[in-house]
Protein backbone atom coordinates (compact mmCIF):
# COMPACT_ATOMS: atom_id res chain seq x y z
CA UNK A 1 0.00 0.00 0.00
CA UNK A 2 1.38 3.40 -0.99
CA UNK A 3 0.96 6.89 0.45
CA UNK A 4 -2.54 8.25 -0.26
CA UNK A 5 -4.18 4.82 -0.32
CA UNK A 6 -6.41 3.01 2.12
CA UNK A 7 -6.75 -0.73 2.30
CA UNK A 8 -10.12 -2.14 1.34
CA UNK A 9 -11.46 -5.60 0.67
CA UNK A 10 -10.18 -6.57 -2.74
CA UNK A 11 -7.19 -4.19 -2.74
CA UNK A 12 -6.12 -0.62 -2.12
CA UNK A 13 -8.24 2.42 -2.92
CA UNK A 14 -6.58 5.67 -4.06
CA UNK A 15 -7.53 8.54 -1.74
CA UNK A 16 -5.55 11.36 -3.36
CA UNK A 17 -7.72 14.38 -4.21
CA UNK A 18 -6.81 15.20 -7.77
CA UNK A 19 -8.50 15.36 -11.12
CA UNK A 20 -11.55 17.27 -12.17
CA UNK A 21 -11.04 20.35 -10.00
CA UNK A 22 -7.90 21.81 -11.54
CA UNK A 23 -9.80 24.78 -12.96
CA UNK A 24 -10.41 26.40 -9.55
CA UNK A 25 -8.07 28.38 -7.32
CA UNK A 26 -10.42 27.90 -4.37
CA UNK A 27 -8.79 26.01 -1.47
CA UNK A 28 -12.24 25.00 -0.18
CA UNK A 29 -13.13 22.00 -2.33
CA UNK A 30 -15.39 20.57 0.35
CA UNK A 31 -17.95 18.19 -1.15
CA UNK A 32 -20.52 19.39 1.36
CA UNK A 33 -20.15 23.17 1.49
CA UNK A 34 -17.85 24.52 -1.20
CA UNK A 35 -19.71 26.90 -3.49
CA UNK A 36 -17.27 26.10 -6.30
CA UNK A 37 -17.07 22.28 -6.20
CA UNK A 38 -18.97 21.35 -9.38
CA UNK A 39 -20.21 18.02 -8.01
CA UNK A 40 -20.62 19.14 -4.39
CA UNK A 41 -23.78 19.70 -2.38
CA UNK A 42 -23.10 23.45 -1.92
CA UNK A 43 -24.69 23.51 1.51
CA UNK A 44 -24.98 26.87 3.26
CA UNK A 45 -25.11 26.43 7.02
CA UNK A 46 -26.53 28.68 9.71
CA UNK A 47 -25.11 27.86 13.14
CA UNK A 48 -26.97 29.13 16.19
CA UNK A 49 -26.55 27.85 19.76
CA UNK A 50 -24.50 24.80 18.68
CA UNK A 51 -27.12 23.83 16.12
CA UNK A 52 -26.30 23.78 12.40
CA UNK A 53 -29.01 23.99 9.76
CA UNK A 54 -28.88 23.94 5.97
CA UNK A 55 -31.50 23.41 3.29
CA UNK A 56 -30.97 20.27 1.23
CA UNK A 57 -33.31 18.87 -1.40
CA UNK A 58 -32.18 15.41 -2.50
CA UNK A 59 -32.21 14.69 -6.20
CA UNK A 60 -32.63 11.33 -7.90
CA UNK A 61 -28.86 10.82 -8.09
CA UNK A 62 -28.70 11.07 -4.27
CA UNK A 63 -30.89 7.99 -3.82
CA UNK A 64 -29.72 4.43 -3.26
CA UNK A 65 -33.15 3.11 -4.22
CA UNK A 66 -36.21 5.03 -5.39
CA UNK A 67 -37.27 7.67 -2.84
CA UNK A 68 -34.61 6.64 -0.28
CA UNK A 69 -31.57 8.90 0.12
CA UNK A 70 -28.28 7.00 0.12
CA UNK A 71 -27.12 6.41 3.70
CA UNK A 72 -23.60 7.60 2.94
CA UNK A 73 -24.98 10.93 1.80
CA UNK A 74 -27.08 11.25 4.96
CA UNK A 75 -23.92 10.56 6.99
CA UNK A 76 -22.15 13.27 4.97
CA UNK A 77 -24.87 15.77 5.87
CA UNK A 78 -24.48 14.91 9.58
CA UNK A 79 -20.69 15.14 9.33
CA UNK A 80 -20.90 18.55 7.64
CA UNK A 81 -23.25 19.91 10.29
CA UNK A 82 -20.95 18.74 13.10
CA UNK A 83 -17.95 20.25 11.32
CA UNK A 84 -19.65 23.63 11.01
CA UNK A 85 -20.53 23.70 14.71
CA UNK A 86 -16.90 22.85 15.58
CA UNK A 87 -15.61 25.54 13.21
CA UNK A 88 -17.95 28.17 14.64
CA UNK A 89 -16.90 27.38 18.23
CA UNK A 90 -13.15 26.92 17.73
CA UNK A 91 -12.37 28.83 14.52
CA UNK A 92 -10.48 25.77 13.30
CA UNK A 93 -10.97 23.26 10.52
CA UNK A 94 -11.60 19.66 11.55
CA UNK A 95 -11.64 16.32 9.80
CA UNK A 96 -13.54 13.25 10.87
CA UNK A 97 -11.44 10.37 12.14
CA UNK A 98 -14.31 7.92 12.42
CA UNK A 99 -18.07 7.96 12.37
CA UNK A 100 -20.78 5.40 13.02
CA UNK A 101 -24.38 6.03 12.06
CA UNK A 102 -27.22 3.69 13.03
CA UNK A 103 -30.32 4.53 11.03
CA UNK A 104 -33.74 4.00 12.60
CA UNK A 105 -35.51 4.03 9.22
CA UNK A 106 -34.86 5.02 5.60
CA UNK A 107 -34.63 8.75 4.89
Amino acid sequence: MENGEIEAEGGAVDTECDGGLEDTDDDNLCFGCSPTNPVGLRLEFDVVDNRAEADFRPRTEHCGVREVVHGGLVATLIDEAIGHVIHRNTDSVSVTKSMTVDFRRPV
Side-chain angles (χ1 to χ4, degrees), residues 64-97:
V65 297
R66 186 173 303 282
E67 297 183 10
V68 177
V69 178
H70 190 281
L73 185 58
V74 174
T76 298
L77 297 170
I78 295 167
D79 184 53
E80 282 292 310
I82 292 168
H84 280 268
V85 170
I86 291 169
H87 178 68
R88 178 65 54 92
N89 286 305
T90 65
D91 197 31
S92 64
V93 176
S94 62
V95 295
T96 302
K97 179 179 178 182

Side-chain angles (χ1 to χ4, degrees), residues 15-72:
T15 61
E16 300 258 340
C17 290
D18 61 354
L21 295 174
E22 296 89 0
D23 58 346
T24 181
D25 291 330
D26 192 351
D27 285 337
N28 178 11
L29 300 176
C30 179
F31 175 73
C33 68
S34 172
T36 59
N37 186 326
V39 297
L41 301 176
R42 300 181 182 198
L43 300 169
E44 295 181 21
F45 281 93
D46 290 318
V47 179
V48 178
D49 297 329
N50 291 329
R51 181 184 175 110
E53 294 183 7
D55 288 327
F56 174 71
R57 303 284 185 242
R59 298 185 307 263
T60 303
E61 62 266 26
H62 298 138
C63 296
V65 297
R66 186 173 303 282
E67 297 183 10
V68 177
V69 178
H70 190 281

